[in-house]
Amino acid sequence: MIDDGTGLLTIGELARVTGLSVRTIRYWSDEGALPPVARSAGGYRLYDAASVARLELIRTLRELGLALADVCRVLAGETTVAQVAAAHVVALDAQIRSLKVTRAVLSTVAKRGSDAEETSLMNRLARLSAAERRRIIEEFVDEVFHGLDTADPVILERMRNTAADLPEDPTPEQVDAWLELAEMLQDPDFRAEMRKVAEFNAADRGHDTPAGASLWFSRRLVHLGARARERGLAPDSPEAAEVVGELLGDADPAAVLERLRSHATHRVARYRELLAVVKGTGPEAAYREEFAWVVAALEERTGS
C-alpha cells in the first residue's frame, strides 16, 4: 500500500497480496480486464480493494479455461458467467471428443505397429465428418446391392443406416472399431464377399416375399443356435439334427448351408462384430458362435 493515506496498491503490492506475478497483472491490466483506479504522481498504476476482488474473479475464470476476451465481456456486463460457462462447456466437449479420437488412433497405431502411411490413413478416417462416413456406407451398400431388385428392402435399409455415425461420446473401442470398419468397407475383396451374401439374399426371395423375412430367419437361427450351445449340444449329435430340422422346415439343407457359409466367413463375421461395437452393443451381439454352430450342424447333416 502506498504511503499516502489513500489505501491504494501498486502492481507490486497487488502481486504480493494475490500471489500472482507482476507480469500477469500488468498484462491483464493492459488488455482492459483490470483497469487501474488511479495513477501515482510518478505515473504508476494504482488499485483498490475492489480491484483485488476483480483480480480474484479474473484468475478463477482464466483457471477454468475462459479466454481473456470472454472474461472482459463478463466484467463489462455484456454477458454473464453462466452464459460464458455454457458456451465453454460446448467447446470443451468438442475438445474432449477430439482428444478421444486422437487417443484411439494412437492406441491403434501402437497395437498394429503402423507405419507413417497407415497412421495418416487412420487419422483421416477417424476424423471424417458424419456426412463423409455416411458416404462411405452408401457407396458400399450401392455396390453390394446393385441390380438386386429382389433383395430384402429391410436388410438394405438397415445396412444404409447402420454405423454411419459414431456416438456423441465414443469410447476408444468404438473409434477403433470404426477405423477397422471404414477400411473394410472400402476393400474390393470384402465388397465381393458381401456381394455374394446379397446375391443369395436376392435369390431366396420373390417380389411377393414379405419385407423383413430374412431378418426373421436370422433371429430364429441365433435363437436356436444359442439354445443348443447352452444345452451343450455337439453339432454332430442326434439332438443337433433335431434343432436343424426345426430351423429348416421344408428347406433344402444343402442350399441353406451354401448361403450360411457366405454369412459365416471370418470377415463377414468380423463386419457384424465391428458394427455391434460401434453401435455400443458389444461384439457378442454379432452372434459369431451361433452362426458357426448352425453351419457345423448343417455340414454334419449334409455330409459336406
Side-chain angles (χ1 to χ4, degrees):
M1 185 181 300
I2 61 173
D3 190 17
D4 62 358
T6 63
L8 298 179
L9 304 172
T10 65
I11 283 184
E13 291 164 335
L14 194 58
R16 285 191 292 274
V17 169
T18 62
L20 290 164
S21 69
V22 169
R23 181 177 180 181
T24 296
I25 296 173
R26 183 177 290 116
Y27 172 69
W28 288 350
S29 184
D30 289 342
E31 293 298 311
L34 187 70
V37 297
R39 286 189 179 267
S40 68
Y44 293 105
R45 286 175 274 205
L46 300 175
Y47 303 90
D48 59 10
S51 300
V52 177
R54 186 182 180 97
L55 188 56
E56 289 296 342
L57 176 59
I58 296 170
R59 172 161 59 182
T60 297
L61 295 178
R62 291 291 289 147
E63 287 176 349
L64 289 172
L66 272 65
L68 189 58
D70 288 329
V71 173
C72 290
R73 290 174 60 225
V74 170
L75 295 171
E78 297 173 4
T79 187
T80 66
V81 173
Q83 290 170 330
V84 173
H88 196 57
V89 166
V90 173
L92 283 174
D93 285 343
Q95 185 178 7
I96 290 168
R97 286 195 295 272
S98 178
L99 288 171
K100 285 187 175 183
V101 170
T102 299
R103 181 190 184 283
V105 171
L106 292 175
S107 176
T108 302
V109 167
K111 285 188 292 186
R112 294 188 183 184
S114 303
D115 58 20
E117 183 177 354
E118 186 179 27
T119 300
S120 177
L121 172 63
M122 287 191 294
N123 188 51
R124 182 180 64 79
L125 289 175
R127 297 184 187 281
L128 291 176
S129 68
E132 291 168 325
R133 290 196 293 269
R134 183 166 293 281
R135 177 185 55 77
I136 290 175
I137 296 284
E138 289 178 348
E139 287 179 354
F140 167 73
V141 174
D142 286 343
E143 180 173 330
V144 167
F145 284 91
H146 179 69
L148 301 179
D149 296 337
T150 58
D152 193 326
V154 174
I155 297 290
L156 180 61
E157 191 61 24
R158 282 169 65 96
M159 289 183 65
R160 284 192 187 282
N161 292 307
T162 297
D165 297 321
L166 282 166
E168 278 293 311
D169 188 21
T171 64
E173 291 76 20
Q174 285 174 309
V175 176
D176 194 29
W178 164 252
L179 287 171
E180 187 178 342
L181 180 64
E183 290 182 277
M184 185 179 289
L185 294 180
Q186 297 174 90
D187 183 342
D189 291 337
F190 178 68
R191 290 190 176 196
E193 275 191 65
M194 289 299 290
R195 173 68 180 186
K196 185 177 180 181
V197 173
E199 287 172 345
F200 279 136
N201 178 265
D204 286 340
R205 302 180 74 258
H207 288 287
D208 58 345
T209 304
S214 305
L215 285 179
W216 177 87
F217 179 80
S218 295
R219 290 183 183 125
R220 184 159 178 75
L221 180 153
V222 167
H223 172 71
L224 292 174
R227 193 170 68 180
R229 295 182 69 248
E230 288 171 1
R231 293 167 57 194
L233 300 183
D236 60 352
S237 66
E239 294 87 349
E242 294 176 7
V243 173
V244 169
E246 185 178 353
L247 173 66
L248 299 184
D250 297 330
D252 177 10
V256 174
L257 174 60
E258 184 181 12
R259 284 151 176 74
L260 286 183
R261 277 175 171 163
S262 71
H263 289 69
T265 67
H266 170 71
R267 297 193 77 196
V268 173
R270 182 59 179 159
Y271 164 74
R272 295 196 304 269
E273 288 174 347
L274 293 172
L275 289 177
V277 172
V278 172
K279 288 164 61 179
T281 54
E284 63 279 358
Y287 306 111
R288 182 191 284 255
E289 291 81 6
E290 288 79 2
F291 271 89
W293 188 93
V294 172
V295 167
L298 277 168
E299 288 173 342
E300 290 294 332
R301 178 164 177 170
T302 60
S304 58

